[in-house]
Amino acid sequence: VFDARTVTTADGMFKAICNHIEYCTNKGNIRSAITVFPQRTDGKHDYRVWNQQLFGFAGYPQPDGSILGDPINVCMELGWKGKGTAFDILPMVLSANGEDPEYFVIPEELVLMVNISHPQ
């Protein structure tokens, strides 16, 4: 258990989550953990991870109407621009203490990717 109840900013949340990811992925030798942020108080000063999952791929509409990448993640908000590939990792969107959401680019070294191929 990682105790992050003293965190007061989205940047602090991001650092705690990066620590969590690094510990859990453990260079491929996965281990369980939980990181605890400040509890909900009045509903106006919440700490929130806006992403559906910690890691997700961006989706980009193409001129022919198809989607490059993950079609569930086509909407790009907050000014983030990816590289435009099929495997761009979405930034983490966090808000702390009731503040507006901010995005943070996940360091590449924290993202473990598995090469998958299909014979067709």
Side-chain angles (χ1 to χ4, degrees):
V1 175
F2 293 105
D3 185 355
R5 292 176 294 171
T6 60
V7 167
T8 60
T9 65
D11 185 62
M13 287 180 70
F14 181 66
K15 289 175 182 167
I17 292 170
C18 286
N19 179 60
H20 176 103
I21 292 167
E22 186 173 17
Y23 175 86
C24 289
T25 56
N26 193 29
K27 297 182 176 139
N29 189 17
I30 307 300
R31 51 189 170 186
S32 298
I34 185 170
T35 297
V36 179
F37 292 104
Q39 71 182 26
R40 172 174 253 186
T41 55
D42 58 9
K44 297 178 185 171
H45 296 88
D46 290 348
Y47 291 75
R48 181 173 177 186
V49 176
W50 291 77
N51 303 57
Q52 291 180 7
Q53 300 177 340
L54 289 180
F55 298 109
F57 294 111
Y60 302 100
Q62 301 299 295
D64 66 0
S66 65
I67 303 295
L68 176 65
D70 191 343
I72 199 167
N73 294 318
V74 170
C75 181
M76 299 295 152
E77 301 283 334
L78 302 174
W80 177 79
K81 302 281 187 227
K83 296 176 185 173
T85 74
F87 299 102
D88 290 351
I89 298 294
L90 290 169
M92 193 161 300
V93 181
L94 309 170
S95 57
N97 204 21
E99 298 291 326
D100 289 339
E102 300 176 50
Y103 76 83
F104 299 86
V105 176
I106 301 169
E108 288 184 23
E109 63 270 12
L110 292 182
V111 181
L112 300 182
M113 301 276 279
V114 176
N115 290 324
I116 300 174
S117 62
H118 189 279
Q120 300 174 350

